Amino acid sequence: MSVASLVSAVRAQVLGLLARRFAGVGGPFAGLSMLPDKLLWPLHRDGLDPVEEMARRRDNEPVSRLGAPFGIRVWLVSGYEPVREVLSSLDGYSNDFAKFAGQVGINVRHDPGGLGFADPPVHTRLRKALTPEFTMRRLARLQPRIDQIVAGRLDALAETRGETVDLWQEFALPIPALTICELLGVPYADREYFQKLSTARFDLEGGAGGSLDAIGESLSYLGGLITEQRANPGDGLLGSLIRTHGDSIDDRELAGLADGVLTGGLETSASMLALGALVLMSDDAMAARMRAGEGVDETVEELLRYLTVVQVAFPRVAIRDHRIAGVDIRAGDVVMCSLSGANRDMQFGADAEKINPGRPGGRSHLAFGYGIHRCIGAELAKMELRTAYPALVRRFPGMKPAVDASQLEFRRASIVFGLESLPVTL
Ligand code: HEM
């Protein structure tokens, strides 16, 4: 078997890592549904914390074997330095989805496109086109709209005063959904539909098949929107990309970029909003500082580190033999970088497992990844969090969870960690 075909075969199996349910998954992904639970434990949590095994591995074997499904070696990288080494390697790993196509029932229809599953030079060309849409100056134009969106949600919450309300549905999800729709130029009426697609993609309850179908559906919706905008480019990011790069970026690539922005920015920011609100409800001193507008920026950074909602980076496939932290990685091996593990590394101090806003070096966390695939929406996400947290605790200083901590429903094995719902009394 050539290295290229070996890598292709390995890549096809990576999708298997997405499967959570091992029995009863039908369709072309039935063959991928036989994954042992031991591959998925890095996505489990103990409350808000990574499970104990993560700390044990990080401290003793920062690069360790996760398993060998289908004979493919899968590595877990959980130490801060080795994770940075993998994510910043320019010639050691591939993210390219194209290599999945034609393997075990996966076809090109499932390629989500966008930046996350592309390697240079395609990644470089597309990222360069998207970057100007995310400069501080461009984003500053969205701030008044974000203020309005947050105020609108708080007003809607105030109307339910006295009753139990689901902060996830009424606050955490709508804020990023409306912000991204605004950024892209997606019609408001479609936002609920997109929330559903995004959730289906990241929550692996339905297995890999459900996740890939959601990607296909989202791309076909965006295809329609792009056709409309080609004829009549709007003010949002899509219209702007069409005006500036309409000839050099084809419709499929545009749909992939838009899809990456939409889904990349929705579930992630929503989870941060909900989990951050949960932390603020349990920490009176932090909530008081937030209410007074003190240290908002450093608290947001620390919540990003502590909660690390994107638990693992996209799977990388090694494209040459090399060593990380003294461990031999072979071409074709799959590497999973645990961002939640790396962000609790002693690198952040002896109290890395605790929340400590303003800790020395706290801003060097990996919640947005590192290297060429580092989150393009990081600044936008922080704008949303810096706006929404203080506004929430000011408006509802007495807000508390409506259920006991033991009854909160956390996602069990989702790439994006979060809550299923967050019942509160205001
Ligand atoms: C708190 C919120 C967010 C978190 C924690 C987060 C986290 C991440 C992480 C960890 C990566 C890198 C994955 C890897 O290297 O494998 C990433 C990439 C990405 N994120 Fe975010 N993200 C957030 C919000 C957003 C927003 C608001 C947008 C867009 C509006 C966005 C769009 C993207 C895109 C397009 C990529 C792919 C970049 C590339 O491959 O070059 N994200 N994000």
Side-chain angles (χ1 to χ4, degrees):
M1 197 183 232
S2 70
V3 171
S5 59
L6 178 66
V7 169
S8 295
V10 171
R11 299 301 306 249
Q13 310 297 1
V14 173
L15 276 189
L17 291 172
L18 297 174
R20 168 172 168 186
R21 232 172 19 188
F22 307 118
V25 178
F29 298 100
L32 292 176
S33 63
M34 304 299 292
L35 284 170
D37 201 38
K38 70 179 183 189
L39 283 182
L40 295 170
W41 69 260
L43 301 180
H44 297 169
R45 297 249 181 150
D46 181 3
L48 298 177
D49 300 321
V51 289
E52 254 178 45
E53 174 68 3
M54 185 67 81
R56 197 197 63 72
R57 294 241 192 162
R58 183 187 55 234
D59 299 342
N60 299 303
E61 316 169 75
V63 178
S64 67
R65 274 291 274 282
L66 198 51
F70 313 100
I72 309 299
R73 305 202 311 173
V74 180
W75 297 96
L76 177 73
V77 185
S78 51
Y80 180 83
E81 280 307 335
V83 164
R84 286 217 314 186
E85 197 178 328
V86 171
L87 298 185
S88 61
S89 164
L90 289 177
D91 61 351
Y93 299 91
S94 170
N95 281 38
D96 185 2
F97 191 93
K99 300 188 181 92
F100 288 102
Q103 306 284 336
V104 288
I106 296 159
N107 64 46
V108 78
R109 180 175 76 84
H110 296 125
D111 184 348
L115 298 169
F117 285 107
D119 285 345
V122 174
H123 177 267
T124 320
R125 176 173 62 85
L126 295 177
R127 178 121 184 173
K128 221 167 143 186
L130 206 54
T131 301
E133 307 297 330
F134 287 91
T135 58
M136 295 300 276
R137 226 184 64 197
R138 228 22 113 76
L139 292 178
R141 293 198 312 211
L142 277 178
Q143 184 65 59
R145 198 46 204 127
I146 296 175
D147 292 339
Q148 279 173 2
I149 290 169
V150 169
R153 293 323 302 169
L154 293 176
D155 288 346
L157 280 174
E159 282 170 23
T160 65
R161 211 182 253 279
E163 298 163 29
T164 298
V165 54
D166 181 2
L167 207 65
W168 169 250
Q169 283 294 337
E170 304 302 327
F171 183 78
L173 261 178
I175 290 171
L178 293 174
T179 304
I180 305 278
C181 288
E182 191 77 24
L183 175 82
L184 280 179
V186 169
Y188 178 87
D190 295 347
R191 77 183 168 89
E192 259 191 41
Y193 171 68
F194 263 99
Q195 285 174 20
K196 275 195 199 123
L197 284 180
S198 181
T199 307
R201 170 180 308 205
F202 289 113
D203 191 0
L204 306 178
E205 187 74 53
S211 177
L212 293 172
D213 285 348
I215 293 170
E217 201 177 331
S218 151
L219 287 177
S220 95
Y221 166 83
L222 286 166
L225 198 64
I226 285 163
T227 308
E228 280 167 31
Q229 299 243 344
R230 281 246 185 232
N232 190 10
D235 291 338
L237 181 150
L238 270 182
S240 163
L241 279 178
I242 287 169
R243 271 194 299 273
T244 323
H245 302 281
D247 297 334
S248 58
I249 299 185
D250 66 29
D251 283 3
R252 202 180 158 74
E253 288 175 327
L254 266 177
L257 285 180
D259 177 70
V261 166
L262 195 63
T263 51
L266 178 53
E267 197 81 359
T268 48
S269 308
S271 274
M272 272 306 299
L273 284 169
L275 295 172
L278 186 64
V279 171
L280 286 165
M281 283 187 273
S282 67
D283 187 330
D284 291 343
M286 189 190 288
R289 291 194 72 217
M290 197 56 100
R291 212 169 286 126
E294 286 166 16
V296 173
D297 189 33
E298 62 192 30
T299 306
V300 164
E301 293 290 350
E302 180 67 347
L303 286 170
L304 283 160
R305 180 195 72 84
Y306 180 77
L307 296 167
T308 313
V309 295
V310 176
Q311 312 208 68
V312 291
F314 290 103
R316 264 73 170 171
V317 176
I319 49 178
R320 60 176 172 80
D321 295 353
H322 61 286
R323 299 195 106 196
I324 315 171
V327 174
D328 286 319
I329 307 290
R330 280 192 235 129
D333 288 357
V334 173
V335 172
M336 304 297 295
C337 287
S338 167
L339 304 176
S340 48
N343 271 345
R344 300 284 183 100
D345 193 305
M346 289 283 277
Q347 143 87 20
F348 293 99
D351 65 344
E353 298 283 358
K354 301 224 161 66
I355 305 188
N356 175 13
R359 70 170 60 249
R363 283 170 196 272
S364 55
H365 64 75
L366 302 174
F368 291 115
Y370 191 73
I372 62 166
H373 288 281
R374 184 178 186 273
C375 181
I376 201 165
E379 277 313 313
L380 178 60
K382 286 196 262 185
M383 273 169 69
E384 292 174 47
L385 302 179
R386 287 193 294 248
T387 309
Y389 291 142
L392 180 68
V393 291
R394 271 181 208 136
R395 187 74 170 263
F396 303 111
M399 187 175 66
K400 286 279 168 252
V403 296
D404 190 70
S406 63
Q407 285 175 297
L408 286 169
E409 268 187 82
F410 292 101
R411 301 216 165 130
R412 213 185 70 83
S414 184
I415 292 168
V416 181
F417 174 63
L419 286 155
E420 300 288 353
S421 64
L422 179 52
V424 297
T425 54
L426 300 171

